[in-house]
Amino acid sequence: MKKIFEILLSFLQTSQSETLQKHIFSIWRSFIRKFQAVLFRGNAKLCGDLCYEILRCCNSRLSSTRKEACALLYLLMRSNFEYSRKTSFTRVHLQVIISVSQLIGDVVGISNSYFQESLVMVNNYAKSDKAMQKTNFPLEVKDLTKRIRTVLMATAQLKEHEKNPEMLVDLQYCLAKSYASTPELRKTWLESMAKAHLRTKDYSEAAHCYLHISALVSEYLRRRGKMKPRTYPQGCAAFHMISPNIQTEESSIKDDSGMQDVHYTDSTLIENLEQAARIIEQAERYEVLGDIYKLIIPMYEVARDFERLSESYRKLFEAYNKIVEVMHSGKRLLGKYYRVAFYGQAHFDEENGKEYIYKEPKVTNLSEICDRLFNLYTYRYGKENVKLIMDSKKVNVDELDPKYAFIQVTYVTPYFTKEESKERLTEFERNNNIQRFMFETPFTKNGPAHGSITEQYKLRTILTTSHTFPYVKKRIEIIEHTEQELSPIEVAIDELHNKVIDLQEVVRAVTPDVKKLHLNLQGCVSTQVHAGPLAYAEAFLSKDKVNKYPVGKVAALKDVFK
């Protein structure tokens, strides 16, 4: 059977006349119908070889060849779906994704227009196949073709954005996401992202790439039944305490028992977890090491590897000592966050109107990130075509000159509800697994941004990102906005409440920082310069003014003073 398969495949690999080619495709249709077990049971290599050649024909210059190839590919998907009792076509799905990756790497490459046309044709076959309409088959075909389109788009843009670290990682992320069902290909792109982050010294993001790889390997081993000891991390769900992003993204792999090219073992898992631990230490996120070693240590215990157990506990001992040290010194800096919005259809295309939260290293100030982004985009669009918007007001797109590329940058801070603030007590907890951010815009009803204490309002904008920080990339898209308008008395309550939290943090420190305490006591505590607690008390709590404000707000302000 293997010899017959190779002979038939050779006809697809070599140029034929259109007449003969029609007969070749007809023979292949008969083969797929009669010998489904050969393609869909056991080793996946034969199915993979056939998928590669069919896809190569889908990229042909001849429309007749493309049409025949699309029909054959559709039949292969449908036959696999029926062979699996109408549950899925996992084998063909995986082999098509792998074949696309191989075609992209080949010298011949892929013609975007021809291949896109073929994808549309396959999709149309699925939509018009009445026998399949009551199954999930058309949706699975649509999902597969969408993944292929993403791969083609991202691959084409990689070279174009090689000077832009955020865009480069975003494109690598798109490729990794498109290969989510194919463990080895996803792992390859996650490793590429980790290397890119290490080059720019974004250690938190690099470490999370390796944590995602570890979860991917663990999920693969679980599905193959190779994580037998209960103490072993059972799939990607075991990583939920490290980051909620991990389980969401690494649970969508597809497993084909006939695939022989994936050779993951518990050693692969340990190797990636150890790598993540080394990099997370460089990121100074020592608290995460405890959770990582909770996954590693049980495997060393089962293996009776006492030397590595000793080394693991030594590293944990050092990590907890460093936590104590940085909490005493207050010198650990886990990053700053900025909202970055892009406007200008002519320049940004798909990025136009999108907003992101950028995580910047250490104490990156506003001017530094503005300079970096300005230089980055002037390199691409020209200095005369890029303009920065420095205020945090809402942008009216209709008022912007369409010939320019506009970038708005706003400093933001992590946002927590009162309940969350009570749980997130340390600096690390306030900078780990965070998804909501805020910035405030002062205004008065009269027009000017700033006014007297009793006239001062604030608009608080709360932003929610699609994933939590830290993540496998250092910018995450904003998916939700909410706004809160704070009245003058609410501004006073908010400002004093924040000041109390700052003072408590200094006073409760194991080693109080006298200078920091002095700065906090001397610092400005309201949006109006030189206004302090006494000014707030006189404005809102004096006998002649207290009745002007809601009883609940007055009580809340008094509570802050207590």
Side-chain angles (χ1 to χ4, degrees):
M1 179 57 72
K2 187 181 176 183
K3 196 66 181 173
I4 294 170
F5 181 91
E6 288 173 353
I7 292 168
L8 288 175
L9 198 66
S10 68
F11 284 106
L12 291 178
Q13 292 168 335
T14 53
S15 298
Q16 310 293 339
S17 68
E18 287 189 64
T19 306
L20 178 59
Q21 201 169 58
K22 285 182 181 179
H23 293 296
I24 297 300
F25 279 110
S26 177
I27 292 168
W28 269 114
R29 286 194 290 273
S30 298
F31 186 95
I32 291 169
R33 290 191 188 99
K34 292 180 181 178
F35 302 109
Q36 292 187 356
V38 174
L39 295 167
F40 308 134
R41 188 191 296 172
N43 196 310
K45 188 177 184 306
L46 296 182
C47 183
D49 290 344
L50 179 57
C51 284
Y52 180 88
E53 295 305 332
I54 294 174
L55 287 170
R56 203 175 60 79
C57 291
C58 286
N59 191 43
S60 171
R61 292 179 182 179
L62 296 173
S63 60
S64 59
T65 303
R66 292 199 302 275
K67 190 174 180 181
E68 290 281 2
C70 288
L72 187 61
L73 179 60
Y74 181 75
L75 176 64
L76 190 64
M77 291 176 180
R78 197 179 191 276
S79 299
N80 190 186
F81 186 76
E82 290 173 336
Y83 188 80
S84 65
R85 296 179 183 178
K86 295 190 175 181
T87 55
S88 67
F89 58 97
T90 299
R91 173 161 292 189
V92 173
H93 178 114
L94 293 176
Q95 294 306 322
V96 165
I97 288 288
I98 292 167
S99 298
V100 168
S101 176
Q102 290 170 340
L103 281 168
I104 288 169
D106 286 351
V107 179
V108 177
I110 289 180
S111 165
N112 235 323
S113 57
Y114 293 150
F115 209 81
Q116 292 283 7
E117 186 184 310
S118 295
L119 292 176
V120 171
M121 208 180 298
V122 172
N123 240 331
N124 289 339
Y125 284 143
K127 287 178 184 176
S128 60
D129 192 339
K130 292 180 181 178
M132 291 286 122
Q133 293 310 303
K134 291 183 179 180
T135 70
N136 63 342
F137 180 71
L139 286 175
E140 285 202 34
V141 173
K142 185 179 178 181
D143 173 64
L144 177 57
T145 53
K146 184 181 176 182
R147 286 175 188 269
I148 295 170
R149 283 194 190 94
T150 304
V151 169
L152 296 174
M153 179 205 71
T155 306
Q157 292 180 343
L158 278 173
K159 186 72 177 173
E160 185 183 343
H161 294 285
E162 62 183 356
K163 299 285 184 183
N164 186 331
E166 284 85 17
M167 275 300 295
L168 186 65
V169 168
D170 272 10
L171 291 168
Q172 291 174 329
Y173 171 80
C174 283
L175 286 164
K177 194 173 181 181
S178 296
Y179 292 135
S181 58
T182 320
E184 192 59 27
L185 291 175
R186 177 166 174 79
K187 178 174 175 286
T188 298
W189 282 106
L190 284 170
E191 285 172 341
S192 296
M193 290 170 70
K195 288 173 185 174
H197 287 310
L198 289 172
R199 282 196 298 271
T200 52
K201 297 184 179 179
D202 294 314
Y203 297 118
S204 294
E205 288 69 30
H208 273 257
C209 287
Y210 281 106
L211 286 169
H212 275 254
I213 291 170
S214 302
L216 176 71
V217 173
S218 181
E219 182 68 14
Y220 177 86
L221 293 173
R222 182 188 72 80
R223 294 192 186 190
R224 284 290 178 97
K226 294 182 179 180
M227 301 296 277
K228 291 179 181 177
R230 290 184 180 179
T231 52
Y232 276 31
Q234 296 299 312
C236 57
F239 291 74
H240 72 92
M241 72 287 192
I242 297 175
S243 169
N245 299 323
I246 296 176
Q247 185 175 359
T248 305
E249 296 209 339
E250 305 310 329
S251 59
S252 58
I253 65 168
K254 293 180 182 287
D255 182 31
D256 178 358
S257 59
M259 287 177 65
Q260 306 298 317
D261 57 333
V262 180
H263 302 286
Y264 296 149
T265 64
D266 53 359
S267 296
T268 315
L269 175 58
I270 291 170
E271 181 185 327
N272 284 289
L273 283 169
E274 290 278 15
Q275 177 72 339
R278 283 191 291 272
I279 302 172
I280 214 81
E281 189 174 0
Q282 288 180 279
E284 296 184 309
R285 291 180 176 267
Y286 309 114
E287 290 86 344
V288 182
L289 287 170
D291 288 328
I292 293 176
Y293 278 102
K294 282 176 187 174
L295 300 173
I296 296 173
I297 286 171
M299 291 188 278
Y300 286 157
E301 288 175 338
V302 170
R304 311 295 195 274
D305 194 334
F306 300 112
E307 187 177 337
R308 287 194 171 184
L309 277 169
S310 173
E311 179 67 13
S312 297
Y313 283 111
R314 183 186 66 78
K315 286 179 180 176
L316 282 174
F317 172 76
E318 290 174 355
Y320 288 121
N321 274 338
K322 284 177 181 175
I323 293 170
V324 173
E325 185 184 318
V326 294
M327 288 183 73
H328 281 187
S329 67
K331 291 180 180 178
R332 177 170 57 169
L333 303 165
L334 295 171
K336 295 287 183 184
Y337 301 92
Y338 293 90
R339 165 186 167 266
V340 180
F342 300 95
Y343 303 99
Q345 181 68 49
H347 297 285
F348 291 120
D349 196 21
E350 290 182 5
E351 291 280 282
N352 178 45
K354 285 191 177 181
E355 298 173 89
Y356 298 89
I357 296 295
Y358 276 59
K359 177 178 168 289
E360 293 295 300
K362 303 290 183 182
V363 286
T364 305
N365 59 41
L366 185 61
S367 62
E368 285 179 301
I369 184 174
C370 285
D371 286 346
R372 183 174 76 81
L373 291 174
F374 183 76
N375 292 332
L376 201 62
Y377 286 97
T378 53
Y379 174 83
R380 183 169 181 188
Y381 302 127
K383 197 171 184 178
E384 69 283 357
N385 294 320
V386 179
K387 291 186 179 292
L388 292 174
I389 302 172
M390 298 305 295
D391 60 58
S392 59
K393 293 178 184 176
K394 280 186 179 178
V395 173
N396 186 342
V397 181
D398 295 332
E399 293 178 358
L400 299 178
D401 191 331
K403 71 179 181 181
Y404 294 113
F406 291 92
I407 304 169
Q408 185 182 35
V409 185
T410 311
Y411 173 66
V412 296
T413 56
Y415 172 79
F416 307 109
T417 61
K418 286 183 180 179
E419 291 72 23
E420 288 172 330
S421 294
K422 291 174 184 176
E423 294 174 0
R424 293 178 179 262
L425 302 175
T426 67
E427 187 68 17
F428 169 77
E429 289 167 346
R430 290 194 290 272
N431 281 277
N432 191 58
N433 290 336
I434 52 176
Q435 193 171 13
R436 291 194 293 173
F437 301 84
M438 68 165 219
F439 66 92
E440 295 173 335
T441 309
F443 72 97
T444 64
K445 297 291 185 180
N446 305 328
H450 297 279
S452 66
I453 287 175
T454 55
E455 297 175 329
Q456 188 66 63
Y457 287 79
K458 280 198 305 189
L459 182 67
R460 175 177 293 160
T461 305
I462 300 166
L463 311 168
T464 305
T465 54
S466 60
H467 297 81
T468 61
F469 284 97
Y471 186 38
V472 294
K473 50 183 187 166
K474 58 177 285 191
R475 76 166 187 175
I476 304 178
E477 189 172 355
I478 295 167
I479 57 169
E480 186 182 339
H481 291 71
T482 55
E483 291 182 347
Q484 298 173 355
E485 187 179 298
L486 276 65
S487 66
I489 192 169
E490 289 173 324
V491 171
I493 294 166
D494 185 61
E495 294 286 351
L496 288 174
H497 177 71
N498 290 337
K499 192 62 182 177
V500 168
I501 291 174
D502 291 341
L503 286 169
Q504 286 175 341
E505 190 178 319
V506 177
V507 171
R508 290 173 181 173
V510 180
T511 309
D513 188 328
V514 179
K515 287 184 179 179
K516 197 172 182 181
L517 178 61
H518 181 73
L519 287 169
N520 272 286
L521 291 171
Q522 291 290 324
C524 173
V525 293
S526 85
T527 51
Q528 184 187 9
V529 179
H530 303 310
L534 182 59
Y536 283 129
E538 290 174 347
F540 301 109
L541 301 179
S542 59
K543 290 181 180 179
D544 59 324
K545 295 173 182 174
V546 71
N547 293 328
K548 295 180 182 179
Y549 303 101
V551 175
K553 300 299 180 186
V554 171
L557 183 57
K558 287 180 178 179
D559 285 342
V560 179
F561 276 101
K562 292 175 184 178

